[in-house]
Amino acid sequence: MKSSISIFLLLLLLNSCNERSSASQPETQQEDFVAQMSNGKYNTDFETAQELKGMRNTIENFTLLNKKKFENLKAYQEFGNLMEMHVDRVNQYCRLDASSKNILCKKLDKIKTEVQTLQGEDMVKSKEALMHINTILADIDSSFSYMNQ
């Protein structure tokens, strides 16, 4: 029972930073946002920036919780589910032009690979997957400018 409450609280904490308004998207297709290179990074459209920020917050919160030794296989599995959701949402709402989106999607595909490990039954591999996800996030941060939007 205590473990279930802890997992529930963990999920509430992780999701608290990731909530966004549920305004529906217009039915008409929006034009692609042409990313420009500035200071060595591609800028992003607002929707992509919001989704990437939410993903970043989830990763940072989960990493901080693990520094406090809150290690639980079920929590890693739920974190994997959240990462899968974030990647899907970035792909769904991304308005980047094809070239920039391709670069971003290649990086996000690396997270998808780690999600499979997180959703498994091996705690050691899950810890390694979390480290890999942090490295992938650093790569995304060094390639795309989205924090100031």
Side-chain angles (χ1 to χ4, degrees):
M1 173 84 170
K2 193 174 187 179
S3 176
S4 297
I5 292 172
S6 297
I7 291 172
F8 177 73
L9 290 174
L10 169 69
L11 292 176
L12 282 177
L13 176 66
L14 291 174
N15 255 348
S16 68
C17 294
N18 303 326
E19 292 298 318
R20 16 175 303 140
S21 65
S22 59
S24 62
Q25 293 293 319
E27 293 297 318
T28 60
Q29 182 70 3
Q30 295 179 358
E31 285 187 35
D32 287 342
F33 176 87
V34 179
Q36 302 293 320
M37 184 72 84
S38 175
N39 296 326
K41 296 180 180 185
Y42 291 101
N43 59 350
T44 61
D45 60 288
F46 181 77
E47 290 295 325
T48 303
Q50 293 301 103
E51 294 302 330
L52 288 172
K53 285 181 202 177
M55 183 173 70
R56 184 179 215 282
N57 289 337
T58 300
I59 293 168
E60 288 177 347
N61 288 340
F62 190 76
T63 300
L64 288 172
L65 283 172
N66 278 314
K67 286 183 179 178
K68 296 183 185 255
K69 302 297 180 205
F70 183 80
E71 296 177 343
N72 178 315
L73 186 59
K74 183 68 176 160
Y76 276 94
Q77 292 167 341
E78 290 300 323
F79 174 67
N81 293 340
L82 287 171
M83 286 295 90
E84 185 173 44
M85 177 203 66
H86 280 301
V87 169
D88 289 345
R89 288 180 62 89
V90 171
N91 284 322
Q92 178 181 358
Y93 293 109
C94 182
R95 297 289 178 226
L96 293 175
D97 59 279
S99 176
S100 302
K101 186 173 183 177
N102 187 40
I103 293 167
L104 178 58
C105 286
K106 284 181 181 178
K107 296 175 188 305
L108 293 173
D109 284 345
K110 293 177 185 176
I111 290 178
K112 283 184 182 179
T113 301
E114 299 303 329
V115 164
Q116 293 172 352
T117 302
L118 288 168
Q119 293 171 336
E121 298 293 327
D122 189 327
M123 184 67 143
V124 173
K125 288 182 179 179
S126 291
K127 288 180 190 180
E128 290 172 5
L130 177 59
M131 289 188 315
H132 294 156
I133 287 173
N134 274 291
T135 302
I136 296 164
L137 175 65
D139 186 31
I140 291 171
D141 285 347
S142 68
S143 302
F144 290 89
S145 175
Y146 60 91
M147 294 309 293
N148 295 330
Q149 294 185 355

